[in-house]
Amino acid sequence: MFKAPVAMPTLIETRRLDKSFGSVHALHQVSLAFVRGEVHGLIGENGAGKSTLMRILAGLVQPDGGQVFHRDKPLRLKGPGDALARGIVMIHQELNLVDELTVADNIFLGREPTRGGIIDRQAMRQRSGELLADLHAQLDPDTFVKDLSIGQQQMVEIVKAMSQDASLLIVDEPTAALSGSEARLLFSLIARLKARGTTIIYISHILPEVLAVCDRITVLRDGQVVTTLDRDQLTGETRDKERHLAGLMVGRPMGDHFPPRQRAGDQSAIELRGISLPGLVHGVSLSIKRGEILGLAGLIGAGRTELAEAVVGLRRRSGGEILIEGRPVVINTVRDAVRLGLAYLSEDRRGRGLLMGMSITANITMVSLRRYCRPLISPAAEHEAVASHRAAMGIRMGQPSHPIESLSGGNQQKVALAKWLEISPRVLILDEPTRGVDIGAKEEIYNLIVKLAAQGMACLLISSEINEVLGLSHRVAVMRQGRLMAVMDVCNATEKSVMYHAAGVDAVAEATATVTSAL
Amino acid sequence: MPSTSTANSTRTPLTNLPSWTGALVALLLLMAVTVAIEYARSGTTAFISPENLINILRQWSFVGIIAIGMTFVIITGGIDLSVGSLLAFVGGLGILTLNALLANDVSEWLAVVVAGVVIIGSGTLAGLLNGLLIAKGRLAPFIATLGGLAAYRALAQTLADGGEFRSQSFNLFPLLGSGGIPVPFTNVAPNAPLPVPLTIPWPVVIFLIMAAAASIVLNRTRFGRYALATGSNERAAVYSAINVDRIKLATYSLVGACTGVAALLLASRMNSISSGQTGGLTELDAIAAVVIGGTRMSGGSGSIGGTVLGVLILGVAGNMLNMLGVNPYLQGLVKGLIIIAAVLVQRRKIS
């Protein structure tokens, strides 16, 4: 099924792994080999079995059938301790560091060097310093973890793993919370680990990243291995490679998945004049017409989310004016924004966008609940509303009274959108609307956005996926470090020109250089 | 391995049951055990008689009324420790008002009405103050209301000089706590010359009416839904255009008002308030009832029906131990075990 690279022995191999959760068959006869010193990409839609497979390797879950082999010997992992003892370390999306301890404390947490029963802080700091220097991680061992950026914290996790002699490092969506420059640092760190012979399993939704970082790529679908490809087996432009991988993930050929744009209107729906937030956003002026989709690109930390939150009254502005349909308006709270027909779909679906403990129905009617009171909330009217959204958006769900957690990421996102469509907004601000959403559901959300714009809604589309911005928007705005750098008509915008404004020309050159030289 | 799958499959039907199912089962078990022991001992049951059951309800209706407000507070992720002390303080304030008015020859009717308004009004205001400290002053609910717990007790004791507030209204005021609705065609004194009907005391009637109303408020009004949202995830609630501060102010005011109602009924029932004793540990009884009833301490889910069952469990447990002649000092132990068992059972259901 796959060609092992020359002369590289297999580190870990799974043979016919099976795992079910209740009626869900999460893994079905999965046989895979991971060789020493390779970066092995693992891709698939949500629910394809990636996490289950990795959790088995990390000793967190026991398989129902099949076996794991470590250096050709059968290996039974009864718990995460067993995996750690074999040098298998998994770095989760939610990092496991103690905020109130220093970098050195965290690296040696639970196995502190002692002298006479007392922690030898001197030795601990020195060892940490060496480990950090070894991996070119420019961090001070005495810094408190709470003062580090997410990227730096992730680096501490990796250094910690390496200090435990990790031979297999599993990273799950490592760049999800990183800025561009932090991601570049991570890539070069991965390259260094690889050069030392560490095997890395790289799980990610972001296909260009997988293509840049991984030597081999395994595609999972419905708990089964679809194929394992050498990177060199993929041909054509980056876009063609992505499309090929995406097709393997969903099990059907992927077209150009952006629906055709409709014409934007002429009337201005919303105009921002000199919006400022101290230290975050500096004098941003923009206007969006009815029926127009304005893409807002930029790196993480460019101030796009902060700008959006300031517009809908979630953050206190230090200056600026907002005009809706030409009239100046006052927006101090989200309630003001809702009254004026402004809706903001948060990028943080689980933490801010939805109420995870509550039912699908309660989430959908949360903002528009007043409409369902006569004077008591009418469950029948609520269910009717849920049914109509379900039909209109193709939400795949069980009972409306089921908790929102029971839905997949894509369907949760549809519910989050439905909640805002309930107020029939004039202006819809979409912050990373397809984050953590399967490719199939992505297409549906794209179609929906275009349809809403065609109905006259003005959309501000904030996205870190340049493809998405270029594929959907009428115009593209780019922010960098809190400033609006450019607004371009989409026919004049390219991936390169957007990156140029988002990162600055030097950063782009550097990034290309790092990725190509490091890998 | 198989443990995960069995946990999954058994959990599915459980989640469809209301959150108070466990409390109901526990209550019925407790009652069955009591009756069984009684029959084993004497071949008859005094426990299950209407008088005894009504007696339990009356004793616990005061805690129950407070627990209704407490349910809303806990659902928003808060807590109110001040209610016990507040009960004594506003009750005392009401009796002082009543006596002052009677001393000035105001009619008894008017004096009682004014005292009632003072008790419920000052309870509501005290709750509002807690709410302000928590929502606007950004104090942790535990701390803000811990302050109230100490302060209101001190105020009550200062006003009464450490002793009792005694009402000077001997006809009208006590009626509220002692009177009730007679149930037609019942007779609790078969040997008496005239039939004495079973009476459902006003505190019980008011408790049950308030519980029914609160249940509708929690499940069918925007306030109830927003309270659940606030406790479920406050930040997400803010992002959904909910005025979280106003919801908090309302819930603390509500528990304050409930405390006022309980204080009025209790002051009337005893025709006095002990500044040092009344309401001692009532806050913990109320919280215990809410927790036993299946409301999550961290907020976001809960039910009034559960709280009513929680109150009944506490009442039945105490009554059972009394009737079985268990050392009264041991009763706290049983209460403690019930609370811990209730939380353990719920934990298992959630995870």
Side-chain angles (χ1 to χ4, degrees):
Chain A
M1 193 150 177
F2 76 95
K3 304 178 308 218
V6 218
M8 273 302 192
T10 300
L11 178 71
I12 289 267
E13 193 182 344
T14 69
R15 291 197 195 144
R16 302 171 154 260
L17 280 186
D18 255 300
K19 178 74 199 172
S20 299
F21 295 104
S23 59
V24 181
H25 208 159
L27 287 182
H28 185 68
Q29 303 275 312
V30 170
S31 299
L32 273 177
F34 302 99
V35 300
R36 296 260 297 274
E38 74 166 338
V39 181
H40 195 129
L42 197 58
I43 61 174
E45 294 201 274
N46 293 333
K50 293 169 299 188
S51 322
T52 307
L53 178 59
M54 292 306 109
R55 288 165 66 81
I56 288 175
L57 291 183
L60 296 163
V61 169
Q62 266 77 48
D64 298 339
Q67 258 187 317
V68 178
F69 288 79
H70 180 252
R71 297 186 203 271
D72 297 325
K73 283 196 280 289
L75 176 64
R76 269 193 71 80
L77 297 165
K78 294 197 202 69
D82 285 354
L84 211 57
R86 297 294 196 301
I88 302 172
V89 180
M90 178 160 179
I91 298 191
H92 296 266
Q93 268 171 286
E94 282 86 29
L95 301 174
N96 280 312
L97 295 174
V98 184
D99 282 352
E100 297 293 333
L101 293 177
T102 65
V103 170
D105 291 335
N106 269 288
I107 292 175
F108 286 99
L109 192 67
R111 48 197 181 94
E112 293 83 355
T114 56
R115 183 190 286 166
I118 293 167
I119 295 177
D120 186 350
R121 301 198 64 83
Q122 190 56 42
M124 203 161 84
R125 273 164 48 195
Q126 200 191 334
R127 250 329 260 132
S128 304
E130 287 165 16
L131 285 164
L132 290 164
D134 211 24
L135 290 170
H136 301 256
Q138 283 158 356
L139 290 175
D140 179 356
D142 290 331
T143 318
F144 283 95
V145 162
K146 63 178 174 195
D147 297 329
L148 299 179
S149 70
I150 301 286
Q152 290 171 317
Q153 293 185 8
Q154 198 178 54
M155 209 171 270
V156 174
E157 282 260 32
I158 294 175
V159 170
K160 180 177 169 181
M162 296 322 290
S163 77
Q164 293 161 313
D165 297 317
S167 54
L168 175 65
L169 190 66
I170 304 169
V171 287
D172 188 4
E173 299 282 355
T175 56
L178 299 190
S179 70
S181 58
E182 285 177 327
R184 286 194 294 281
L185 277 174
L186 174 75
F187 296 153
S188 51
L189 185 58
I190 286 177
R192 273 194 290 278
L193 294 177
K194 179 182 148 187
R196 291 167 154 211
T198 311
T199 304
I200 291 144
I201 302 181
Y202 193 96
I203 305 173
S204 179
H205 267 103
I206 307 172
L207 297 179
E209 212 174 275
V210 172
L211 282 165
V213 178
C214 301
D215 302 313
R216 294 197 298 153
I217 299 163
T218 292
V219 184
L220 285 177
R221 185 171 69 232
D222 300 331
Q224 287 174 296
V225 176
V226 176
T227 181
T228 298
L229 297 162
D230 262 29
R231 181 166 44 165
D232 307 333
Q233 278 172 259
L234 291 160
T235 52
E237 297 281 301
T238 312
R239 278 197 81 133
D240 300 328
K241 296 180 185 175
E242 280 175 42
R243 202 173 296 168
H244 183 65
L245 287 178
L248 291 172
M249 281 162 67
V250 294
R252 58 183 159 88
M254 294 298 290
D256 213 352
H257 44 259
F258 296 107
R261 287 179 198 87
Q262 307 292 315
R263 263 178 59 90
D266 305 317
Q267 289 167 287
S268 162
I270 183 169
E271 190 179 344
L272 312 180
R273 288 187 185 160
I275 302 291
S276 289
L277 275 177
L280 294 168
V281 176
H282 311 286
V284 171
S285 301
L286 272 180
S287 96
I288 312 173
K289 297 193 183 67
R290 293 191 43 160
E292 185 183 32
I293 303 174
L294 178 69
L296 183 53
L299 302 176
I300 287 178
R304 295 170 298 163
T305 294
E306 289 79 1
L307 172 68
E309 292 186 344
V311 169
V312 297
L314 282 159
R315 289 171 183 263
R316 196 155 288 281
R317 295 184 298 274
S318 59
E321 241 192 318
I322 301 169
L323 288 84
I324 288 189
E325 289 174 359
R327 280 193 308 275
V329 293
V330 180
I331 300 175
N332 291 321
T333 65
V334 190
R335 290 180 299 289
D336 295 340
V338 166
R339 229 167 292 148
L340 291 161
L342 245 76
Y344 169 61
L345 181 82
S346 169
E347 57 168 346
D348 179 6
R349 185 167 63 233
R350 299 183 55 86
R352 294 160 208 236
L354 292 172
L355 285 144
M356 294 314 286
M358 300 185 76
S359 69
I360 298 168
T361 307
N363 270 285
I364 287 183
T365 60
M366 192 53 79
V367 184
S368 51
L369 196 53
R370 191 188 296 265
R371 270 222 314 272
Y372 299 93
C373 297
R374 42 197 68 156
L376 295 179
I377 296 172
S378 155
E382 275 191 303
H383 283 181
E384 218 168 278
V386 172
S388 81
H389 287 292
R390 179 187 194 164
M393 303 172 90
I395 304 174
R396 280 174 287 281
M397 55 182 255
Q399 293 302 311
S401 59
H402 283 179
I404 190 83
E405 289 101 314
S406 63
L407 303 186
S408 71
N411 287 302
Q412 284 180 15
Q413 191 68 316
K414 288 182 200 165
V415 168
L417 252 170
K419 163 174 115 170
W420 289 112
L421 296 183
E422 276 280 291
I423 66 164
S424 315
R426 279 187 272 210
V427 180
L428 184 58
I429 305 177
L430 302 156
D431 199 349
E432 305 286 0
T434 61
R435 175 179 286 175
V437 164
D438 285 340
I439 294 180
K442 249 183 191 179
E443 268 185 297
E444 293 178 272
I445 291 175
Y446 292 153
N447 288 329
L448 194 66
I449 294 172
V450 167
K451 199 173 96 192
L452 292 171
Q455 291 166 5
M457 232 174 259
C459 297
L460 180 64
L461 172 70
I462 302 175
S463 173
S464 295
E465 288 191 41
I466 295 183
N467 271 347
E468 204 167 279
V469 171
L470 293 177
L472 290 172
S473 314
H474 294 96
R475 287 183 301 147
V476 180
V478 189
M479 278 179 77
R480 176 164 91 223
Q481 292 174 356
R483 290 194 166 77
L484 188 66
M485 303 309 291
V487 182
M488 307 171 261
D489 209 275
V490 75
C491 34
N492 305 323
T494 61
E495 199 162 322
K496 217 167 177 178
S497 64
V498 171
M499 269 314 282
Y500 168 84
H501 290 294
V505 65
D506 302 339
V508 174
E510 186 206 322
T512 335
T514 327
V515 172
T516 43
S517 73
L519 305 161
Chain B
M1 43 193 232
S3 65
T4 351
S5 51
T6 44
N8 262 340
S9 48
T10 50
R11 201 179 55 194
T12 324
L14 256 184
T15 42
N16 292 334
L17 298 172
S19 63
W20 44 262
T21 313
L24 182 62
V25 171
L27 178 64
L28 294 176
L29 261 176
L30 207 55
M31 293 174 77
V33 168
T34 313
V35 173
I37 296 178
E38 274 191 314
Y39 266 103
R41 282 189 175 179
S42 57
T44 159
T45 171
F47 169 79
I48 215 77
S49 70
E51 295 100 311
N52 187 48
L53 295 178
I54 283 202
N55 198 30
I56 298 176
L57 267 172
R58 174 172 37 211
Q59 278 174 1
W60 283 83
S61 57
F62 309 103
V63 168
I65 288 168
I66 297 175
I68 289 170
M70 191 70 81
T71 308
F72 283 91
V73 167
I74 291 180
I75 276 174
T76 63
I79 192 99
D80 191 342
L81 299 176
S82 68
V83 290
S85 299
L86 187 63
L87 183 72
F89 174 60
V90 297
L93 215 54
I95 289 178
L96 290 183
T97 310
L98 182 69
N99 292 347
L101 291 174
L102 290 175
N104 285 303
D105 292 327
V106 175
S107 78
E108 201 172 2
W109 265 107
L110 186 61
V112 168
V113 168
V114 172
V117 170
V118 165
I119 295 179
I120 297 172
S122 54
T124 312
L125 279 177
L128 182 66
L129 178 65
N130 278 336
L132 284 170
L133 290 172
I134 290 156
K136 304 288 181 191
R138 305 274 156 218
L139 281 181
F142 190 96
I143 302 299
T145 59
L146 188 62
L149 176 124
Y152 294 124
R153 180 67 62 191
L155 283 173
Q157 289 182 303
T158 308
L159 279 183
D161 208 7
E164 284 195 338
F165 300 93
R166 283 178 182 284
S167 143
Q168 300 301 319
S169 164
F170 299 105
N171 303 315
L172 203 54
F173 189 58
L175 271 186
L176 207 50
S178 318
I181 304 178
V183 182
F185 311 117
T186 55
N187 187 4
V188 291
N191 302 326
L194 283 171
V196 181
L198 182 68
T199 309
I200 302 177
W202 287 117
V204 174
V205 173
I206 292 173
F207 167 49
L208 295 178
I209 290 175
M210 283 176 72
S215 186
I216 292 171
V217 168
L218 179 60
N219 295 311
R220 303 280 303 273
T221 66
R222 284 195 293 149
F223 167 66
R225 187 70 67 79
Y226 293 166
L228 285 161
T230 302
S232 174
N233 179 344
E234 190 172 329
R235 201 167 49 180
V238 171
Y239 273 68
S240 298
I242 293 170
N243 191 342
V244 166
D245 283 355
R246 204 163 71 186
I247 296 299
K248 287 186 185 170
L249 288 179
T251 54
Y252 286 97
S253 303
L254 178 66
V255 75
C258 288
T259 306
V261 172
L264 175 62
L265 294 171
L266 191 64
S268 154
R269 165 104 183 118
M270 320 294 279
N271 216 16
S272 73
I273 288 280
S274 155
S275 65
Q277 304 292 315
T278 300
L281 298 186
T282 297
E283 62 283 342
L284 297 187
D285 281 338
I287 293 166
V290 174
V291 171
I292 292 171
T295 294
R296 193 159 41 182
M297 268 313 263
S298 53
S301 84
S303 73
I304 300 293
T307 296
V308 172
L309 287 168
V311 171
L312 292 179
I313 286 176
L314 287 174
V316 166
N319 183 261
M320 160 180 115
L321 297 173
N322 273 337
M323 296 193 87
L324 300 179
V326 175
N327 181 345
Y329 294 117
L330 259 181
Q331 296 190 5
L333 176 71
V334 175
K335 200 196 273 181
L337 291 176
I338 290 176
I339 295 169
I340 289 168
V343 175
L344 280 178
V345 170
Q346 286 167 35
R347 171 97 39 87
R348 179 150 316 163
K349 243 174 85 175
I350 290 163
S351 61

